Amino acid sequence: GQNIDQPTEMTATEGAIVQINCTYQTSGFNGLFWYQQHAGEAPTFLSYNVLDGLEEKGRFSSFLSRSKGYSYLLLKELQMKDSASYLCAVRYQTDSWGKLQFGAGTQVVVTP
Amino acid sequence: DGGITQSPKYLFRKEGQNVTLSCEQNLNHDAMYWYRQDPGQGLRLIYYSQIVNDFQKGDIAEGYSVSREKKESFPLTVTSAQKNPTAFYLCASSIRRGSDTQYFGPGTRLTVL
């Protein structure tokens, strides 16, 4: 399978910035998604990148470099409610329908 | 409000019993998916369906079965053949197969005693 690698846990203080990195195998790449998941709840869609560059959505931004097999999710002005797991998912066009491959998630802990 | 519902939120079963998890969506999405989530692991695809009356095995289909008789509904049965059924099960849907953002239901936590 295609490995999606992201750090297990990151800790930051309220108001700070945190960058969550995600690396993946580039062969067959066809898009990258970031989801936020609070404990015991459904993942919710945050962002989608298919071309190189930065996509900004309020306090959250996502960056993609296809040649390097690298993405990051940037969380600015951290709030306590941002404490959650952040899932990186890559779509691979390995067959006719392009399924998602998920990383294990990065647990972000925001401290006061 | 449009969305995906899963019921129940928590489910307990004895070992050896089959159990069916419900997933319903009113988003008019063609494609639906079942994932399993275990601690420290990414979501793993169990089954997916691109259209009514059609479904395909995902990466970990052994011990599971599904049906897609209606566009809105995609129930998952965890059979007694599944060796490690205790997990958090997530249902998702997208407008079409694979090429669109997947939206998730609230999940069902299954515990087999």
Side-chain angles (χ1 to χ4, degrees):
Chain A
Q2 293 94 342
N3 286 341
I4 313 297
D5 292 318
Q6 47 181 134
T8 303
E9 185 171 314
M10 303 182 75
T11 301
T13 54
E14 207 172 359
I17 298 173
V18 70
Q19 177 175 314
I20 306 168
N21 296 326
C22 173
T23 58
Y24 60 89
Q25 294 181 12
T26 58
S27 176
F29 173 83
N30 194 29
L32 186 143
F33 297 81
W34 284 98
Y35 286 86
Q36 179 192 60
Q37 185 179 25
H38 286 99
E41 297 183 11
T44 55
F45 169 72
L46 289 178
S47 68
Y48 169 65
N49 295 72
V50 67
L51 300 175
D52 291 348
L54 187 69
E55 295 278 344
E56 297 189 76
K57 265 191 194 180
R59 295 189 297 115
F60 292 2
S61 304
S62 57
F63 171 83
L64 178 68
S65 169
R66 289 173 296 171
S67 62
K68 294 182 180 175
Y70 168 70
S71 172
Y72 67 73
L73 180 69
L74 195 70
L75 285 61
K76 294 180 277 192
E77 300 168 19
L78 278 172
Q79 301 176 8
M80 298 300 291
K81 68 178 181 179
D82 298 330
S83 290
S85 183
Y86 292 84
L87 312 180
C88 175
V90 177
R91 184 171 62 219
Y92 286 102
Q93 205 66 47
T94 52
D95 53 33
S96 62
W97 76 287
K99 70 177 185 181
L100 290 185
Q101 193 82 22
F102 282 84
T106 298
Q107 185 66 43
V108 170
V109 178
V110 181
T111 59
Chain B
D1 280 341
I4 305 174
T5 57
Q6 291 184 243
S7 60
K9 179 79 172 166
Y10 299 95
L11 192 54
F12 296 88
R13 278 296 182 269
K14 290 184 180 178
E15 199 171 329
Q17 289 182 332
N18 291 358
V19 60
T20 297
L21 311 185
S22 164
C23 177
E24 304 277 331
Q25 55 97 1
N26 60 4
L27 300 167
N28 201 32
H29 286 177
D30 283 333
M32 297 185 75
Y33 315 83
W34 274 106
Y35 290 92
R36 170 185 172 134
Q37 188 173 36
D38 295 282
Q41 295 190 42
L43 274 66
R44 292 183 290 167
L45 183 66
I46 305 171
Y47 267 97
Y48 65 97
S49 168
Q50 299 176 46
I51 200 165
V52 174
N53 292 323
D54 178 72
F55 49 84
Q56 306 293 331
K57 291 182 179 180
D59 298 322
I60 54 164
E62 187 175 345
Y64 299 98
S65 66
V66 293
S67 63
R68 187 88 187 274
E69 296 175 3
K70 298 187 298 182
K71 187 174 185 177
E72 304 79 23
S73 179
F74 192 40
L76 173 76
T77 297
V78 184
T79 75
S80 56
Q82 168 49 232
K83 291 183 171 48
N84 227 359
T86 295
F88 189 46
Y89 289 88
L90 287 158
C91 178
S93 71
S94 64
I95 295 173
R96 292 178 302 272
R97 67 178 191 189
S99 60
D100 299 296
T101 301
Q102 293 181 23
Y103 297 92
F104 288 84
T108 292
R109 186 164 298 279
L110 173 66
T111 303
V112 175
L113 306 169

